[in-house]
Amino acid sequence: MMEQNFVAEIGNLNMDEEESCPGSHKFAKLSASLDRRGYGYRFIKRTFDIVFSGLVIAVGLLSCVVLSVAIAIDTKGKPIYSQVRVGRYGMPFRIYKFRSMVNDSDDVEKYFTPQQLETWKRERKVDNDPRITKLGRVLRKTSIDELPQFINVLLGQISVIGPRPITYDELEHFGDNAALFCSVPGGITGLWQSSKRNVATFESGERQVIELSYVEKASTALDARCFFNTFGVMFGKEKTGR
C-alpha cells in the first residue's frame, strides 16, 4: 500500500522535482556526498553488523520458528510483516518485523478514534493502539518483534545502530535536512531509540534533533553507548513497547 502510494506520488511530480526527490539518483548522490564517516569506522561497523546479526539469527532460529507459529495463530495472518521504508541515500527497501497487530491493521479507520487517527498520521504510532494483540504487546515491550530486522542488517540495508528507519511521509519532517538524515544507514536501535523514543516526537522537533545529532556525530563510541543503553530501554522500568 505505502509502496504504491509512493510510486503514485512520484508519478505526479514534474521532471525537476522527480530528479531530486527521495528515491531518485540525484537525491542519492546528494545524500552520499553528505556522509562524512571515515572508512575505518565504516569497516568496523559493517564487520560488527555481519558478525552480531549472524549470531543472533543462528542462536534464535529455532525459537523464532516456534514464535512464528504462535504469531500466526494469534493474529490470523503471516507471522512476518514487511513495510516500505526509506533506506540509505533515500532509496526504498522493505523492513521486516514479527507481526504484532491484527491481520487487517492497515485499515486504521476501522480501529482508531478520530484523535488517534490524527496522531497516527503525524507520528505513525499511538498510545494504547487497539490493533496490537496480547502477544504483540509482549513482543513490543521486549522489542522481540524487531528480531527479523537482523535479516535486513545481513543484507546491508540497515545497521544494528543507526537512525530509526522511517516512511517517506515521515521523511518530510526533516525538511532541508532529509538528504543528511539519509546519508547513513538506518538502525534497529540508535540514539533516539535508546533515549527518548517515547517522548521526543516529530511534532515537537526533538526527534529530528536527536536523529540528526547521531548522523553528524556517528562514531564507534557513540554506537557502543546506544547499544548498551538499548538494554535499559528493553528491560528497564521505562519500557512501554509503544
Side-chain angles (χ1 to χ4, degrees), residues 101 112 116 120 126-132 137 140:
M101 296 183 176
F112 288 163
Q116 286 178 317
W120 182 85
V126 298
D127 289 320
N128 302 313
D129 194 324
R131 301 172 300 166
I132 303 175
R137 294 193 185 282
R140 289 191 167 211

Side-chain angles (χ1 to χ4, degrees), residues 49-162:
D49 284 345
I50 294 172
V51 173
F52 186 75
S53 58
L55 286 174
V56 170
I57 292 173
V59 172
L61 182 59
L62 182 58
S63 297
C64 287
V65 170
V66 175
L67 180 59
S68 294
V69 175
I71 292 173
I73 295 173
D74 183 53
T75 64
K76 298 179 177 58
K78 295 180 180 179
I80 302 295
Y81 174 79
S82 69
Q83 188 180 52
V84 174
R85 295 292 175 91
V86 182
R88 189 180 181 192
Y89 303 152
M91 305 305 291
F93 78 101
R94 283 198 167 273
I95 197 167
Y96 301 110
K97 285 188 175 185
F98 277 127
R99 185 180 294 276
S100 59
M101 296 183 176
V102 292
N103 193 33
D104 59 346
S105 60
D106 288 336
D107 187 5
V108 292
E109 289 83 1
K110 177 180 177 180
Y111 294 96
F112 288 163
T113 64
Q115 184 178 4
Q116 286 178 317
L117 188 59
E118 182 180 345
T119 301
W120 182 85
K121 287 180 178 179
R122 184 177 61 250
E123 300 291 341
R124 283 298 186 269
K125 60 181 181 180
V126 298
D127 289 320
N128 302 313
D129 194 324
R131 301 172 300 166
I132 303 175
T133 66
K134 290 182 179 179
L135 176 57
R137 294 193 185 282
V138 176
L139 297 180
R140 289 191 167 211
K141 284 183 178 180
T142 56
S143 296
I144 291 176
D145 64 314
E146 298 188 353
L147 282 177
Q149 291 177 27
F150 284 103
I151 296 174
N152 293 116
V153 175
L154 271 182
L155 293 174
Q157 296 169 326
I158 62 174
S159 180
V160 174
I161 311 294

Side-chain angles (χ1 to χ4, degrees), residues 134-219:
K134 290 182 179 179
L135 176 57
R137 294 193 185 282
V138 176
L139 297 180
R140 289 191 167 211
K141 284 183 178 180
T142 56
S143 296
I144 291 176
D145 64 314
E146 298 188 353
L147 282 177
Q149 291 177 27
F150 284 103
I151 296 174
N152 293 116
V153 175
L154 271 182
L155 293 174
Q157 296 169 326
I158 62 174
S159 180
V160 174
I161 311 294
R164 181 80 166 185
I166 58 177
T167 66
Y168 283 94
D169 287 340
E170 292 173 315
L171 185 60
E172 294 178 3
H173 291 289
F174 287 89
D176 294 338
N177 289 316
L180 177 62
F181 172 79
C182 295
S183 66
V184 303
I188 295 178
T189 188
L191 188 58
W192 174 75
Q193 299 97 305
S194 63
S195 57
K196 298 183 177 181
R197 64 177 290 178
N198 292 314
V199 294
T201 66
F202 285 130
E203 184 178 25
S204 68
E206 190 175 4
R207 178 171 174 180
Q208 295 93 307
V209 171
I210 293 174
E211 296 284 37
L212 291 173
S213 176
Y214 174 85
V215 172
E216 295 176 330
K217 300 176 182 177
S219 66

Side-chain angles (χ1 to χ4, degrees), residues 4-5 44 62 154 198 230:
Q4 293 176 344
N5 290 341
I44 293 173
L62 182 58
L154 271 182
N198 292 314
T230 298

